[in-house]
Amino acid sequence: GEHHRRIPNHDSAEYAYLQALAIFEKIEDPQGIRFSYQNLALTYTASKQYDKAIEALNKVHSIGDEPDLLALLEEGVARVDIISNRHSLDSAIIFAMGMETLALQSEYPIWIKRYKALLSDLCLQAGDWPQAWAYHLAADSLEELQTGEQVRMQARVVDHQYRVLL
């Protein structure tokens, strides 16, 4: 399902997640059921089926414990899309700012960058050019930091492999 959702082939993704859901329901696995509904919600949001997405998100939160932080951050992107299309751009910006704060508190750089980029797009749509530019620059600076850290990590791995071979 994940592969089909990301390429995007929404019909195949939905089918895969519904199959997974049936299996998880059969074995009564709440985490698997929650996972399936969350991914269905992401798929429905990506295909602009907002009623189905909202229904799936409601099911996610009706099952046992709260989802983990990474699931909430991923789900937040879908919720921003739903809010901007069903309510208002201003409401979506406010919600995205809250999710950016959660990402900052949790110190997940990839999610911080993603929410800053999302806020840049939302502010651009709202006509707030200075704020859109500020979020864009912040997202870009995080990209540069991540790329630099990846290069440093790759260099360390190559150096370690070289030393092991000697």
Side-chain angles (χ1 to χ4, degrees):
E2 181 81 10
H3 168 74
H4 290 291
R5 181 167 56 88
R6 295 195 186 271
I7 60 175
N9 183 343
H10 302 300
D11 291 338
S12 294
E14 178 184 18
Y15 177 78
Y17 291 131
L18 287 171
Q19 295 292 80
L21 177 62
I23 293 167
F24 288 128
E25 286 177 336
K26 186 174 183 175
I27 63 172
E28 299 178 2
D29 180 348
Q31 288 180 330
I33 294 168
R34 183 183 306 119
F35 170 81
S36 298
Y37 276 123
Q38 182 185 25
N39 282 296
L40 279 166
L42 298 174
T43 300
Y44 293 142
T45 301
S47 62
K48 309 295 184 208
Q49 298 179 63
Y50 298 118
D51 290 335
K52 285 184 170 184
I54 291 167
E55 183 180 323
L57 287 170
N58 288 338
K59 288 182 181 182
V60 167
H61 293 285
S62 70
I63 300 168
D65 300 332
E66 284 296 309
D68 66 20
L69 183 58
L70 290 175
L72 287 173
L73 290 168
E74 186 169 20
E75 182 184 304
V77 175
R79 287 189 181 276
V80 168
D81 190 12
I82 292 167
I83 292 167
S84 69
N85 282 283
R86 287 294 173 99
H87 301 288
S88 72
L89 201 50
D90 289 340
S91 296
I93 291 170
I94 291 167
F95 183 83
M97 290 171 74
M99 294 305 296
E100 177 201 23
T101 300
L102 182 61
L104 286 164
Q105 290 171 346
S106 62
E107 298 179 354
Y108 284 115
I110 194 160
W111 285 105
I112 297 167
K113 177 184 160 267
R114 184 142 186 213
Y115 278 105
K116 287 187 182 302
L118 183 58
L119 281 161
S120 175
D121 291 343
L122 292 169
C123 289
L124 187 61
Q125 290 174 39
D128 186 350
W129 299 91
Q131 194 62 48
W133 182 246
Y135 279 121
H136 174 76
L137 290 176
D140 269 3
S141 70
L142 286 169
E143 177 71 28
E144 290 172 17
L145 288 173
Q146 286 178 319
T147 302
E149 184 58 28
Q150 288 171 348
V151 168
R152 283 189 294 279
M153 288 299 290
Q154 288 172 348
R156 287 182 195 140
V157 168
V158 168
D159 183 59
H160 175 73
Q161 290 172 341
Y162 176 76
R163 291 171 193 263
V164 168
L165 291 175
L166 289 180

